[in-house]
Amino acid sequence: MRISVLVMDGLFDSGLATVFDVLQMANELRTELPHPPPSWELTRVSGQGAVRTASGHMIEARAAEDAPRPDLLVVPGAGPKQPEPLLDWVAAPERGPEREVLRRARAEGVPLAAACTSTFLLAEAGVLDGLTATTSWWLAPAFRQTYPQVALNEGHMLVHSPGVTTAGAAMAHLDLALALVQQASPALADLTARYLVVDHRPTQAGYAIPSHLARTDPTVSAFERWVRAHLDEPLRMAEAARAVGASERTLQRAVDKVLGISPLRFAQSIRLEQAAHLLRTTNLPTETVARRVGYENASTLTTLLRRRLGTTPGRLRSGATPAGT
């Protein structure tokens, strides 16, 4: 399988290395399978010759237009890591050649795969229009507001849409590369993950920091503070709206615009974040933790932890050092 990896100035060094390392490891392990898939042939391409990574390394690359047509084009993360500089970066004239490479590949039916900040470059190029995608969790509010034509699902580590696979935050390059191996051979992907000691991570939700996401909007930020101040109480939306100086409808619109979810779901995220913290750092019984974050019993909390964060109280406690009650 011929894979082109699009490199750019400001490239996230470990993202590029991860994609190459995982696929080269899979190439080495192929022969251990009774029916190995074809090997991967990796080529670095760019829109404008050699590039300099974020750490200052020079990377040689072929001009994308001169390279053979790939079976897949992978775009590692690149550019600034904060919303405003990143949006300027992907829209800058200097990124024109890369945007054109993406549009041409999409028009020719070449599958695309991108991780972290490069999901913004795909969106800016228009190749995500009408599709579902993910991105780095802390960049989700900016992505959602800038590219409303893309259905964002930042809770997932990986999102597969027709012809495009996107991955979440920086270390999701690992998940992305393993997903590419899995498409060719699930057995080889499992073997490669075992050699690399990589666990399955279907969601980013457990890593997201609700307060960071909320601060982009004053109404959402005020609602987040109110929820934290009333964690052990039933959620009364009318009371919350009055406390933040908004109607319930306005609160609903503000949270949906910034986070793409309902106020109730956002409140659940805050409660689960606090519950996970208590389970990791204290020896409080799960029943007590549940009540402290507004749930009637441990069963409800356990169900939500499994459904929303892909974990359980037992897993959260494993390895945690009790910090007292």
Side-chain angles (χ1 to χ4, degrees):
M1 183 176 183
R2 186 181 292 121
I3 296 180
S4 288
V5 181
L6 181 62
V7 296
M8 297 165 281
D9 285 329
L11 186 74
F12 187 51
D13 295 63
S14 64
L16 175 64
T18 296
V19 171
F20 271 79
D21 287 347
V22 169
L23 293 175
Q24 288 171 346
M25 171 70 83
N27 274 340
E28 293 177 18
L29 295 174
R30 290 171 52 254
T31 56
E32 296 193 18
L33 299 179
H35 304 289
S39 61
W40 286 269
E41 177 187 323
L42 301 170
T43 303
R44 289 183 293 270
V45 300
S46 75
Q48 46 192 353
V51 302
R52 185 181 297 276
T53 71
S55 296
H57 298 107
M58 293 301 299
I59 301 290
E60 295 296 328
R62 296 182 64 175
E65 59 186 16
D66 296 332
R69 183 184 185 277
D71 300 304
L72 174 71
L73 178 63
V74 179
V75 192
K81 305 302 185 291
Q82 295 305 316
E84 290 187 14
L86 176 60
L87 289 169
D88 290 341
W89 187 85
V90 297
E94 292 81 3
R95 298 281 73 76
E98 288 88 3
R99 294 193 298 269
E100 184 54 34
V101 169
L102 294 170
R103 293 187 188 109
R104 185 168 61 247
R106 183 67 171 162
E108 294 175 355
V110 175
L112 304 175
C116 194
T117 50
S118 284
T119 56
F120 276 68
L121 187 63
L122 266 65
E124 185 67 27
V127 299
L128 292 180
D129 289 359
L131 301 178
T132 301
T134 188
T135 192
S136 303
W137 64 262
W138 72 90
L139 296 170
F143 189 105
R144 182 172 286 109
Q145 292 180 48
T146 307
Y147 307 111
Q149 65 275 32
V150 183
L152 187 66
N153 189 343
E154 72 275 19
H156 287 194
M157 193 72 75
L158 286 169
V159 169
H160 300 283
S161 285
V164 183
T165 299
T166 49
M171 291 300 109
H173 285 88
L174 187 58
D175 305 82
L176 179 64
L178 285 171
L180 300 180
V181 178
Q182 186 174 41
Q183 289 173 8
S185 170
L188 182 56
D190 181 66
L191 183 63
T192 304
R194 286 176 178 271
Y195 267 76
L196 295 173
V197 195
V198 179
D199 294 325
H200 181 53
R201 302 176 301 171
T203 178
Q204 294 187 94
Y207 302 92
I209 304 172
S211 57
H212 179 93
L213 298 173
R215 71 179 60 156
T216 58
D217 181 275
T219 299
V220 180
S221 182
F223 176 62
E224 185 257 347
R225 292 194 299 271
W226 185 90
V227 171
R228 290 190 184 278
H230 299 81
L231 273 180
D232 59 347
E233 302 172 12
L235 182 61
R236 300 181 179 88
M237 204 57 64
E239 182 180 342
R242 284 195 301 271
V244 303
S247 67
E248 289 186 59
R249 185 178 179 83
T250 298
L251 177 59
Q252 172 76 42
R253 284 200 301 263
V255 176
D256 181 67
K257 179 181 177 182
V258 174
L259 305 175
I261 56 177
S262 68
L264 174 60
R265 191 171 177 87
F266 182 46
Q268 283 185 341
S269 297
I270 297 168
R271 292 174 189 266
L272 293 178
E273 176 201 55
Q274 181 62 15
H277 171 72
L278 291 173
L279 289 166
R280 288 192 188 102
T281 61
T282 76
N283 55 8
L284 290 170
T286 304
E287 194 78 29
T288 302
V289 171
R291 288 195 298 270
R292 285 198 177 186
V293 297
Y295 296 117
E296 292 184 357
N297 52 59
S299 177
T300 300
L301 175 60
T302 299
T303 298
L304 287 169
L305 284 170
R306 184 180 291 111
R307 183 183 303 155
R308 295 287 303 281
L309 304 185
T311 189
T312 65
R315 290 177 193 158
L316 289 167
R317 290 189 190 280
S318 63
T321 303
T325 58

